[in-house]
Amino acid sequence: MPDNPYLPCPVRIEQIITETEDRNLKTFKLVFIYKEHEKQFSYIPGQFCELSIPGKGEIPIGIASSPTEQGFLLFTVNKTGVVTRYLHIMKEGDIIGVRGPLGNWYPWEEMEGKNVIIIGGGFAFTTLRSSIVYMLHPDNRSRFKDITVVYGARSPGLLLYREELSEWEKRDDINVHITVDATDDPDWPYNVGFVPTVTEQKITTSENSYALVCGPPIMIKFTQPVLEKVGFTPEQIIMSLEMRMKCGIGICGRCNIGDQYVCKDGPVFSLAKLNELPPEY
Ligand SMILES: Cc1cc2nc3c(=O)[nH]c(=O)nc-3n(C[C@H](O)[C@H](O)[C@H](O)COP(=O)(O)OP(=O)(O)OC[C@H]3O[C@@H](n4cnc5c(N)ncnc54)[C@H](O)[C@@H]3O)c2cc1C
Ligand code: FES
């Protein structure tokens, strides 16, 4: 991060990938304009950035690329309101700002030597994609035991990163369970069912494991008891929160839950930590 934490670094939109059939989710591949900014920018999976568009505003977005991917950053953005709508009409070659990396990350040191279970729903899969790419990198794979992914969306056309999912599906160093709530495709090769149901079928032990869970609140609500049933403790369940934010660096007080700033102490929290906080998230 530059010395002034409020100062965005200019980046060029190198590539825009439309992820979903409804065209509401796009991945933006960004490259730094200045090499010194690229050198200073060092991040860990789980962190986020503030993306800024002059005259429109700034939004927190999780980093979808992995630090093992050099020379660019990826952000996958859902079209919801003022800034995200504007970003969606921008073109390759346009310049925006990036401030970060911000926030904490998944507990990589604690997860060493453990099984890692990734459970994602819908478009909240971005920093989980970063985590999977990071763990599968040859320098990192031996640091973790079994890697299992359960990822679902409402329909096949709403899954993110479909090419990568099918590549991971073919590998033997990761177990991938893709699911959709419903499909009318008779040749759909993966699961049909809600993420909590597929989790119940595929995850049968909590031994020596951590679960990273990101998704819509309803998915989290029904996944949590499934994990608890097989023995996951609140310390073994890790989540990433999305709150409204402004400064992103623990100063303005926009994002606090109790005494925790989601932008600085989070966005990654164990369920054990969340259980200590007021239920405002
Ligand atoms: C740490 C973090 C990581 C995030 N990662 C991603 C990501 O990878 N991809 C992605 O698409 N989005 C992500 N978000 C959510 C994203 O920040 C909001 O969708 C975005 O700020 C909306 O901006 P807007 O100007 O387009 O919408 P606005 O015009 O501000 O609002 C449109 C609608 O979105 C809601 N909204 C606005 N901001 C947020 C917010 N921060 N969280 C939840 N709801 C909000 C508003 O209540 C309103 O209903 C993340 C948020 C956080 C805090
Ligand atoms: S966004 Fe300002 S304190 Fe978190």
Side-chain angles (χ1 to χ4, degrees):
M1 202 187 320
D3 295 340
N4 179 347
Y6 291 106
L7 207 61
C9 299
V11 289
R12 192 182 63 251
I13 302 175
E14 187 172 86
Q15 192 185 1
I16 302 175
I17 302 152
T18 301
E19 293 283 351
T20 52
E21 267 170 20
D22 64 6
R23 306 183 68 79
N24 281 339
L25 276 134
K26 288 184 179 175
T27 295
F28 296 84
K29 184 177 188 181
L30 307 178
V31 293
F32 285 96
I33 304 282
Y34 300 111
K35 274 280 163 221
E36 66 262 34
H37 289 162
E38 185 180 333
K39 275 195 217 127
Q40 282 168 0
F41 192 97
S42 153
Y43 67 101
I44 302 174
Q47 290 193 284
F48 68 99
C49 287
E50 289 279 350
L51 301 188
S52 56
I53 302 174
K56 295 294 168 191
E58 225 188 8
I59 50 169
I61 301 289
I63 308 175
S65 49
S66 157
T68 53
E69 298 173 300
Q70 305 277 304
F72 61 89
L73 297 172
L74 297 177
F75 295 91
T76 301
V77 180
N78 187 27
K79 188 166 67 174
T80 49
V82 177
V83 180
T84 51
R85 276 182 191 284
Y86 197 82
L87 192 57
H88 268 248
I89 57 167
M90 293 186 85
K91 302 269 182 296
E92 290 172 0
D94 286 347
I95 309 288
I96 64 168
V98 164
R99 195 157 66 78
L102 303 169
N104 69 350
W105 44 84
Y106 296 116
W108 294 109
E109 282 184 14
E110 288 93 317
M111 293 195 296
E112 284 209 13
K114 307 272 191 323
N115 303 312
V116 181
I117 294 145
I118 302 258
I119 303 173
F123 67 88
F125 194 62
T126 58
T127 59
L128 296 181
R129 182 230 173 242
S130 168
S131 302
I132 295 167
V133 174
Y134 176 75
M135 286 189 287
L136 289 179
H137 190 272
D139 289 351
N140 295 329
R141 182 62 192 89
S142 61
R143 291 167 54 202
F144 307 97
K145 287 191 74 191
D146 294 350
I147 304 173
T148 305
V149 178
V150 179
Y151 173 49
R154 289 202 308 279
S155 63
L158 294 179
L159 288 163
L160 298 179
Y161 318 127
R162 273 172 288 174
E163 274 179 28
E164 279 179 317
L165 284 173
S166 65
E167 275 166 29
W168 295 334
E169 228 266 334
K170 290 182 205 126
R171 293 174 66 135
D172 56 12
D173 56 354
I174 178 169
N175 306 304
V176 178
H177 306 290
I178 303 164
T179 187
V180 291
D181 297 356
T183 176
D184 45 23
D185 176 0
D187 299 324
W188 172 245
Y190 306 118
N191 301 278
V192 177
F194 296 121
V195 167
T197 313
V198 176
T199 304
E200 190 162 23
Q201 290 160 0
K202 309 293 180 189
I203 310 300
T204 52
T205 174
S206 59
E207 213 185 307
N208 201 28
S209 301
Y210 272 88
L212 311 185
V213 186
C214 294
I218 185 86
M219 184 208 95
I220 292 176
K221 184 176 168 208
F222 288 104
T223 301
Q224 197 179 312
V226 167
L227 292 174
E228 284 165 354
K229 208 165 117 194
V230 289
F232 277 86
T233 63
E235 288 75 16
Q236 289 170 279
I237 302 176
I238 312 295
M239 296 180 179
S240 185
L241 298 190
E242 289 193 5
M243 295 283 284
R244 299 302 296 261
M245 291 182 180
K246 280 247 176 281
C247 70
I249 52 173
I251 290 177
C252 73
R254 181 75 176 86
C255 69
N256 72 300
I257 305 175
D259 64 354
Q260 297 287 298
Y261 292 106
V262 176
C263 67
K264 189 164 71 75
D265 304 310
V268 175
F269 294 95
S270 68
L271 181 59
K273 185 72 201 173
L274 291 179
N275 287 343
E276 293 169 11
L277 301 178
E280 291 165 7
Y281 52 91

